[in-house]
Amino acid sequence: MKKKAFNSIHLTILKHLVRWTLITVPIAAAIGCVVTLFLWLLNLAIDYRFAHPEIIYFLPIAGIAIYFAYKLWGTTAIKGNNLIMDEIHNPGGGVPKSMTPLILISTVVTQLFGGSVGREGTAVQIGGSIAQMFSKWFRLNADDTRVILTAGIAAGFGAVFGTPLTGAIFAMEVLTIGRIQYTALVPCLVAAIVGDITVLAWGVHHETYHIAIVPAGHNILSNYLPLDILLLSKVIVASIIFGLTSYLFAEAVHGIKTGFNSLIAKKWLIPFIGGLIVIGLTIIIGKPDYLGLGVKPPHPGAITISSAFNAGGADAWSWLWKTIYTTITLGTGFKGGEVTPLFYIGSTLGNTLSTVLNAPVSLFAALGFIAVFAGATNTPLACTIMGIELFGSEYALFFAVACFTAYFFSGNSGIYSSQRIAVPKILDDEPSVETIAEAENKRQRYMRRKLVKYKIGRKK
């Protein structure tokens, strides 16, 4: 009897694994192919901008074109990553097919004319849109559609960065703070691996980064502990700053978007003004280093993510300039992702902090690379795994300390307003299942009440 029960249970598990593998593989392969097309077009656009730097002066016109494209054909697609999260939490109208061509073309256009955006948002939206389309073809029910949308996120993320394990964990972790969606474990892992393999099969290669050997520290505790306590203390200090920077970035994006929408009645003017601001900043600074992705150097000696891994490879305020460029670009309606700019912000900030703290440059650039991302997306586990996938496992402990510290110090903020809060970061807070947007509104109402109370008290 026990043997029969054993066989029955494991046969059910086997059927479950085979079913989801058969469903996921074609979806992830399709996502990988479209992501490959996106990366190819993106490289063409960036190379063309480098060869014709004057094209930046058409950025405001490009912003208007993107606005009207979404107004005419975007329907709900304008919500971007947040729409996919909403559909996973509470299925409604679904993710429209138009999301894939709209986000792909608008991101390439933004990069072509110099907007400071990334790739992750585009890949995730491609993944979600294609997954929704296949879900209808396969006639999946609501629960299975939730799972396959999550797998679509994993496929897009894993494919665009070449980090399949990170993509799988990220898709399950990003939906809800404090709760990982293990129901989608197998589809996410299969989707991320297949998406990455598909991109590699098309001959696309990802950027590589290297941490130089960190010399072992010597102190009074060196004979008793297997790590450098002084270096660990410096990592914690830097990671607090990484978390605060994540908070600054997330609040700036939401604040700029809210401010422009409340001040300007004609919405097509918002991206036009945003484009003008980016042009003005570039003229003032006198170099194009903070335009676009920040991966390829637009000129010899330019500040890029790779250069930040070397001493003198970033200016003291490079991280702040990139923050300003990216928050203005995204906040005024241009399309693309946030993650690659966050890599740039984190690595250049790590470069600066390494000088201040007298710490290894490449290690702190790598820590900033993953930690600022962890704080802004509230995905410390995925970002720890990303550190291992990109930089190796030797400094895994530092990766974990950096990501989780930044996660806590970024507060209840984040770049995804539809991300839910299941477990508060501070356990004294009341448990809730609200979104980042709702938490932000609650904070604003609290501050307004305090200000009113303070003013009344002063008058008395």
Side-chain angles (χ1 to χ4, degrees):
M1 190 72 178
K2 290 182 179 179
K3 185 177 181 181
K4 184 177 180 181
F6 176 84
N7 291 337
S8 176
I9 291 170
H10 287 80
L11 182 61
T12 302
I13 293 171
L14 179 62
K15 288 180 179 178
H16 172 81
L17 296 178
V18 171
R19 175 179 182 266
W20 275 113
T21 300
L22 292 175
I23 290 172
T24 305
V25 167
I27 298 173
I31 293 169
C33 290
V34 178
V35 169
T36 300
L37 173 63
F38 165 61
L39 292 174
W40 179 71
L41 292 173
L42 197 62
N43 283 329
L44 288 179
I46 292 171
D47 290 341
Y48 186 87
R49 175 166 54 82
F50 287 175
H52 304 85
E54 67 279 358
I55 200 172
I56 186 180
Y57 294 107
F58 294 95
L59 182 61
I61 306 301
I64 295 175
I66 291 171
Y67 169 83
F68 281 108
Y70 270 86
K71 188 172 180 64
L72 293 172
W73 301 296
T75 60
T76 56
I78 196 168
K79 292 180 65 178
N81 293 354
N82 291 310
L83 174 64
I84 299 171
M85 289 186 179
D86 288 339
E87 287 298 319
I88 294 172
H89 292 311
N90 292 308
V95 181
K97 295 178 183 178
S98 61
M99 176 176 276
T100 291
L102 277 172
I103 190 60
L104 192 155
I105 295 170
S106 60
T107 302
V108 171
V109 168
T110 300
Q111 287 285 352
L112 175 63
F113 294 98
S116 179
V117 296
R119 301 168 289 189
E120 152 273 339
T122 306
V124 166
Q125 290 175 53
I126 288 171
S129 178
I130 292 176
Q132 177 76 72
M133 185 173 63
F134 272 86
S135 174
K136 291 181 179 178
W137 290 348
F138 292 162
R139 298 184 179 181
L140 300 180
N141 60 34
D143 289 336
D144 287 350
T145 298
R146 287 192 186 98
V147 171
I148 212 63
L149 283 175
T150 308
I153 294 174
F157 194 101
V160 81
F161 291 122
T163 53
L165 186 54
T166 302
I169 302 299
F170 175 83
M172 295 186 292
E173 188 180 22
V174 74
L175 300 174
T176 308
I177 297 176
R179 182 182 299 160
I180 296 178
Q181 307 294 331
Y182 280 113
T183 52
L185 177 60
V186 172
C188 283
L189 187 57
V190 171
I193 292 172
V194 172
D196 180 43
I197 290 173
T198 303
V199 170
L200 293 175
W202 280 107
V204 175
H205 300 285
H206 303 283
E207 299 82 17
T208 57
Y209 306 98
H210 175 68
I211 298 178
I213 296 174
V214 177
H218 298 283
N219 55 66
I220 194 171
L221 297 175
S222 296
N223 295 327
Y224 307 99
L225 295 175
L227 72 156
D228 187 337
I229 295 299
L230 178 59
L231 180 57
L232 179 62
S233 302
K234 293 177 180 179
V235 168
I236 293 172
V237 171
S239 301
I240 292 172
I241 299 172
F242 293 147
L244 295 174
T245 303
S246 302
Y247 176 83
L248 171 66
F249 182 92
E251 293 298 307
V253 171
H254 298 316
I256 289 171
K257 188 177 296 184
T258 302
F260 272 97
N261 279 313
S262 62
L263 293 174
I264 300 175
K266 294 182 179 180
K267 303 308 177 187
W268 61 268
L269 272 176
I270 296 176
F272 182 83
I273 294 172
L276 290 177
I277 294 173
V278 170
I279 293 171
L281 288 173
T282 306
I283 293 172
I284 292 171
I285 296 173
K287 58 183 179 181
D289 295 27
Y290 307 116
L291 299 171
L293 284 177
V295 175
K296 290 183 176 181
H299 59 85
I303 298 169
T304 63
I305 295 174
S306 295
S307 74
F309 282 72
N310 302 309
D315 295 335
W317 299 105
S318 292
W319 64 273
L320 182 59
W321 280 118
K322 189 63 173 178
T323 300
I324 294 170
Y325 268 74
T326 306
T327 53
I328 289 172
T329 302
L330 291 171
T332 55
F334 289 89
K335 300 301 177 182
E338 300 92 346
V339 172
T340 306
L342 286 170
F343 292 161
Y344 188 108
I345 292 165
S347 59
T348 53
L349 178 57
N351 183 291
T352 299
L353 291 176
S354 70
T355 303
V356 175
L357 297 172
N358 190 28
V361 177
S362 59
L363 175 62
F364 272 58
L367 294 176
F369 185 109
I370 57 176
V372 173
F373 172 34
T377 58
N378 295 300
T379 56
L381 181 58
C383 293
T384 301
I385 300 298
M386 173 173 268
I388 295 171
E389 284 193 293
L390 290 178
F391 310 117
S393 61
E394 184 177 358
Y395 304 108
L397 177 61
F398 290 145
F399 297 157
V401 169
C403 290
F404 281 88
T405 302
Y407 163 75
F408 280 109
F409 278 88
S410 67
N412 284 334
S413 65
I415 57 177
Y416 306 126
S417 58
S418 291
Q419 189 177 44
R420 292 192 172 190
I421 304 171
V423 180
K425 295 182 183 181
I426 305 301
L427 297 180
D428 291 340
D429 290 351
E430 294 182 6
S432 61
V433 189
E434 60 188 0
T435 64
I436 289 289
E438 291 168 346
E440 176 61 25
N441 289 335
K442 184 183 292 185
R443 283 197 301 271
Q444 290 180 357
R445 289 195 299 270
Y446 173 79
M447 290 303 297
R448 283 195 291 268
R449 288 197 302 268
K450 286 292 185 181
L451 287 173
V452 170
K453 182 179 179 180
Y454 176 74
K455 288 178 181 178
I456 291 174
R458 286 290 298 270
K459 288 179 181 178
K460 288 181 180 180

